[in-house]
Amino acid sequence: MSEEARDPEAHRAAMKKLKAEQDAKARSKQHKRGVLIVNTGNGKGKSTAAFGMAIRAAGHGQKVGLVQFIKGKWKTGEQEAIKRFPEIEHIVSGEGFTWNSQDHEKDIAAARRGWDEAVRIIAASRGDTPAYNVLILDELNIALRYGHLPVAEVVGVLADLPTELSVVVTGRDAPAELIEVAHTVTEMVPVKHAFKAGIKARKGVDF
Ligand code: ATP
Ligand code: MG
């Protein structure tokens, strides 16, 4: 046991010092603006973390746009659950997992529809009375990876976000150009995944 853990007085002093340091750190952060967040990597949790943020924002009464670029072949739980939140506007533009689709032109058209919605939401969030506070672009990285949308066009828009809007982009293989302009980037690392052990994707867990 450390000296601090044994002595309540030493513990109190250490905590007081830590709090003063944390307060000073918080005071030094002066910028007030929305952020561009990227959830990427091969581990599980990229989309569910983004949906969690949508619910967090809705809980504050904020307006959320959620555009899903690649829809799974299953009826997803999030689609039904999100209907219960009047603050979240849900747009599904994908035609199914990209490896289920044989029609590249159809995929490109679907991605374009989703991106047009994203651009509309971003434009509506400029100025003193932003229409949205949070925009989730679920699996946009996949649409970029398969060439359904030009990376330069998308990154050009996301690099110039309205100050009151935060945007979350999810999906494996985030392009380097997007990572470069983002404020927060998290890479999910697959330490283990049940699928590898032969366990089937599960309702409520995986979709
Ligand atoms: P989730 O939607 O669970 O947050 P995700 O968005 O991180 O997952 P995607 O690449 O979008 O992951 O894949 C979606 C589906 O694939 C989900 O059913 C998820 O459980 C599953 N999945 C995610 N990572 C892996 C992996 N490393 N191996 C196998 N299946 C995975
Ligand atoms: Mg996902």
Side-chain angles (χ1 to χ4, degrees), residues 6 16-17 20 22 48 52 65 75 88 91 103 113 135 162 167 171 200 203:
R6 268 195 304 268
K16 200 173 160 189
K17 185 165 168 268
Q22 291 300 333
T48 45
K75 193 176 169 61
I88 307 178
I91 296 148
D103 192 337
R113 277 198 303 280
L135 170 61
V167 175
K200 284 182 81 150
K203 189 190 276 185

Side-chain angles (χ1 to χ4, degrees), residues 1 34 53 83 97 103 115 117 125 131 135 144 161 207:
M1 209 190 265
M53 216 187 97
K83 283 184 190 157
F97 277 119
D103 192 337
W115 180 244
E117 291 285 349
S125 307
L135 170 61
L144 295 171
L161 290 174
F207 61 94

Side-chain angles (χ1 to χ4, degrees), residues 41-49 51 74 78 97 138-139 142 170-172 188 190 192-193 195-196 201 205-207:
N42 294 337
K44 175 172 164 55
K46 301 174 287 293
S47 295
T48 45
F51 304 149
W74 306 288
E78 64 267 21
F97 277 119
D138 187 40
E139 313 302 348
I142 306 299
T170 85
R172 295 174 184 211
M188 307 289 179
K192 272 182 160 190
H193 196 287
F195 195 71
K196 276 222 171 110
V205 176
D206 295 296
F207 61 94

Side-chain angles (χ1 to χ4, degrees), residues 40-100:
T40 193
N42 294 337
K44 175 172 164 55
K46 301 174 287 293
S47 295
T48 45
F51 304 149
M53 216 187 97
I55 290 170
R56 173 180 279 174
H60 288 290
Q62 296 184 346
K63 186 77 197 291
V64 179
L66 166 56
V67 183
Q68 279 190 292
F69 282 86
I70 312 285
K71 187 173 61 134
K73 61 183 168 171
W74 306 288
K75 193 176 169 61
T76 62
E78 64 267 21
Q79 218 165 327
E80 287 307 304
I82 280 164
K83 283 184 190 157
R84 300 178 198 174
F85 293 86
E87 299 88 352
I88 307 178
E89 186 179 325
H90 191 188
I91 296 148
V92 180
S93 80
E95 293 283 334
F97 277 119
T98 189
W99 48 90
N100 286 333

Side-chain angles (χ1 to χ4, degrees), residues 30-36 159-166 183:
Q30 298 288 354
H31 297 301
K32 252 177 116 173
R33 61 153 302 128
V35 286
L36 177 58
D160 180 32
L161 290 174
T163 51
E164 290 310 310
L165 182 71
S166 291
H183 301 103

Side-chain angles (χ1 to χ4, degrees), residues 2-13:
S2 71
E3 176 61 29
E4 279 169 25
R6 268 195 304 268
D7 176 0
E9 212 32 68
H11 178 76
R12 250 194 303 277

